[in-house]
């Protein structure tokens, strides 16, 4: 074979792409982390054990793991307090297994909380930035200053058996002017594809789940309470959200249950292939099902730059009794606020039962199977 400069360059590019996909190769050793000074040596190994320690304030505890690394948390980790953007913790790597073993990462949220979250007051760090593929499981995330998990990697990731416990933020404090002290404490913010989040408990003051962009995302067998429910959005411009499965979750004591929110001024975005199956919503104070193209307003003048299509509240009679939504007196059961041409196709809502409160308003004629449809 004749090796020309072009064939050599092509081979080099292929090798580089293959290496990038495979991730960094680590050593067969065990690295132990008992302080941030141990991290650089530990991430050279394919087994990392994390002991109990306190992370220096204003510093990210970052694990850039070798391919196939197993991370074992063997003690509780507390994060020092500093007014900065964070994140407090970040993990990346290909095919990584992170096992929290039931231990706690404590973000010291009460030291930041002032009822304003990311909208004002003191600067608050985001907590957990997860960029690895593989598995992330069995960790308690306690007292997030603001958003608990930010997920941003398109390679397959399963998040399993996580507890996000920001329930202490429900109470007021001296800085919150009578409001719940915790704010913007989202459980999982997802801007990624090929993500499964399952078997987890989220107690907070904002979205339990917020999908901002991505495809092939499943949220199943989770319990959400105290916040704003399960959300897609808000959807901004030039975003695709598709193949979303919201399955067998329980939402309680929340402002909303199932919500899709799209920026009124967004353009060139699509939301499609959203399926809700077997979800239960109780003690909902605002909106049971809310689909709104007027964000940040609620049921304001909708835009039409996000095309919303092929959404189904799907009833699988072999495995589930469908989606049941119960709202409090004064709350709306179902509201759909589509802009002109912003909603398309036929939406099968035969698997949705909503009770309590007010009927709400639906301005889209393509909904079938739901008695409140037009």
């Amino acid at each position: 074979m004749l090796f020309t400069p072009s064939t050599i360059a092509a081979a080099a590019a292929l090798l580089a792409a293959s290496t990038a996909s495979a991730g960094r190769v680590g050593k067969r050793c065990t690295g132990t982390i008992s302080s941030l000074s141990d991290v650089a040596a530990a991430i050279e190994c394919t087994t990392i054990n994390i002991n109990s320690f306190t992370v220096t304030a204003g510093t990210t505890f970052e694990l850039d793991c070798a391919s196939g690394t197993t991370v074992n948390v063997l003690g509780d980790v507390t994060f020092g307090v500093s007014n900065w953007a964070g994140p407090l913790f970040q993990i990346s790597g290909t095919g990584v297994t992170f096992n929290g073993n039931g231990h706690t990462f404590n973000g010291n949220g009460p030291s930041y909380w002032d009822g304003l979250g990311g909208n004002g007051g003191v600067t608050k760090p985001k907590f957990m930035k997860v960029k690895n593929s593989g598995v992330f499981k069995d960790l308690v995330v306690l007292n997030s200053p603001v958003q608990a998990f930010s997920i941003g990697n398109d390679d397959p990731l399963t998040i399993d058996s996580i507890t996000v416990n920001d329930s202490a933020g429900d109470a007021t404090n001296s800085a919150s002017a009578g409001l719940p002290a915790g704010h913007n404490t989202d459980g999982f913010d997802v801007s990624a594809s090929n993500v499964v989040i399952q078997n987890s408990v989220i107690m907070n003051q904002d979205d339990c789940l917020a999908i901002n962009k991505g495809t092939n995302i499943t949220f199943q067998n989770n319990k959400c309470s105290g916040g704003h429910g399960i959300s897609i959005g808000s959807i901004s411009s030039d975003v695709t959200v598709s193949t979303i499965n919201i399955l067998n979750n329980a939402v309680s004591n929340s402002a909303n249950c199932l919500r899709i929110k799209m920026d009124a001024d967004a353009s060139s975005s699509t939301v499609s292939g959203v399926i809700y199956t077997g979800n239960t919503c109780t003690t909902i104070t605002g909106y049971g099902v809310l689909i709104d193209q007027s964000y940040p307003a609620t049921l304001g003048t909708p835009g039409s730059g996000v095309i919303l299509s092929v959404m189904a509240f799907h009833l699988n009679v072999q495995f589930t009794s469908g989606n049941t939504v119960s709202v409090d007196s004064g709350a709306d059961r179902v509201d759909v606020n589509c802009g002109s041409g912003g909603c398309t196709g036929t939406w099968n809502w035969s698997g949705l039962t909503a009770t309590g409160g007010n009927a709400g308003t639906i301005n889209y004629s393509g909904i079938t199977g739901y008695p409140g449809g037009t």
Side-chain angles (χ1 to χ4, degrees):
M1 177 179 179
L2 178 62
F3 290 95
T4 65
S6 61
T7 59
I8 293 172
L14 183 62
L15 178 62
S18 175
T19 301
S21 175
R24 179 170 59 85
V25 177
K27 301 174 183 177
R28 286 191 172 183
C29 57
T30 298
T32 300
I33 297 175
S34 299
S35 71
L36 289 184
S37 62
D38 298 326
V39 171
I43 62 174
E44 296 299 317
C45 297
T46 55
T47 299
I48 299 173
N49 292 335
I50 300 173
N51 292 327
S52 180
F53 76 104
T54 297
V55 177
T56 305
T59 306
T60 300
F61 177 13
E62 182 174 0
L63 297 178
D64 181 11
C65 299
S67 180
T69 292
T70 296
V71 179
N72 301 301
V73 180
L74 304 180
D76 296 342
V77 176
T78 301
F79 292 80
V81 175
S82 179
N83 298 124
W84 67 301
L88 299 179
F89 176 80
Q90 178 171 302
I91 185 169
S92 57
T94 302
V96 172
T97 297
F98 180 100
N99 189 351
N101 291 301
H103 289 290
T104 297
F105 278 16
N106 185 348
N108 265 318
S111 297
Y112 301 93
W113 292 339
D114 53 15
L116 297 174
N119 299 322
V122 301
T123 302
K124 306 167 187 73
K126 293 185 178 182
F127 202 162
M128 312 281 294
K129 190 168 187 177
V130 178
K131 300 169 63 179
N132 65 289
S133 62
V135 176
F136 192 105
K137 65 179 182 178
D138 200 20
L139 184 72
V140 177
V141 175
L142 179 66
N143 292 339
S144 314
V146 280
Q147 290 89 343
F149 279 87
S150 301
I151 301 166
N153 180 16
D154 287 339
D155 291 328
L157 172 66
T158 296
I159 296 178
D160 194 357
S161 302
I162 300 297
T163 297
V164 175
N165 185 359
D166 295 329
S167 58
D170 292 343
T172 63
N173 66 17
S174 60
S176 68
L179 298 172
H183 192 67
N184 296 140
T185 51
D186 299 35
F188 296 94
D189 285 346
V190 179
S191 297
S193 297
N194 305 308
V195 177
V196 176
I197 302 171
Q198 61 187 13
N199 306 320
S200 296
V201 177
I202 301 94
M203 298 169 282
N204 66 343
Q205 296 79 38
D206 211 302
D207 293 330
C208 178
L209 168 73
I211 298 174
N212 299 306
K213 65 178 181 178
T215 64
N216 193 29
I217 298 167
T218 297
F219 189 75
Q220 62 186 4
N221 301 321
N222 302 293
K223 296 180 180 180
C224 308
S225 66
H228 295 173
I230 297 171
S231 295
I232 296 173
S234 64
I235 302 299
S236 57
S237 296
D238 303 309
V239 166
T240 297
V241 175
S242 65
T243 317
I244 309 300
N245 291 284
I246 309 297
L247 312 175
N248 302 316
N249 303 287
V251 180
S252 63
N253 300 309
S254 297
N256 314 296
C257 183
L258 305 171
R259 177 170 61 158
I260 300 177
K261 50 184 177 176
M262 293 145 282
D263 293 353
D265 61 356
S267 61
S268 302
S269 293
T270 60
V271 177
S272 62
V274 180
I275 297 177
Y276 298 93
T277 302
N279 301 287
T280 301
C281 311
T282 56
T283 320
I284 304 301
T285 60
Y287 301 91
V289 175
L290 175 61
I291 298 165
D292 192 1
Q293 292 190 310
S294 69
Y295 192 80
T298 299
L299 301 178
T301 302
S304 57
V306 180
I307 304 302
L308 180 63
S309 63
V310 196
M311 185 174 64
F313 285 86
H314 178 67
L315 175 63
N316 184 332
V317 297
Q318 293 181 320
F319 302 105
T320 179
S321 59
N323 302 274
T324 59
V325 175
S326 175
V327 304
D328 289 355
S329 174
D332 282 5
R333 296 193 291 272
V334 177
D335 286 280
V336 178
N337 184 31
C338 296
S340 177
C343 296
T344 64
T346 299
W347 302 354
N348 173 18
W349 283 19
S350 60
L352 172 64
T353 301
T355 60
N358 307 308
T361 301
I362 298 173
N363 74 352
Y364 179 55
S365 62
I367 295 172
T368 65
Y370 175 66
T374 57

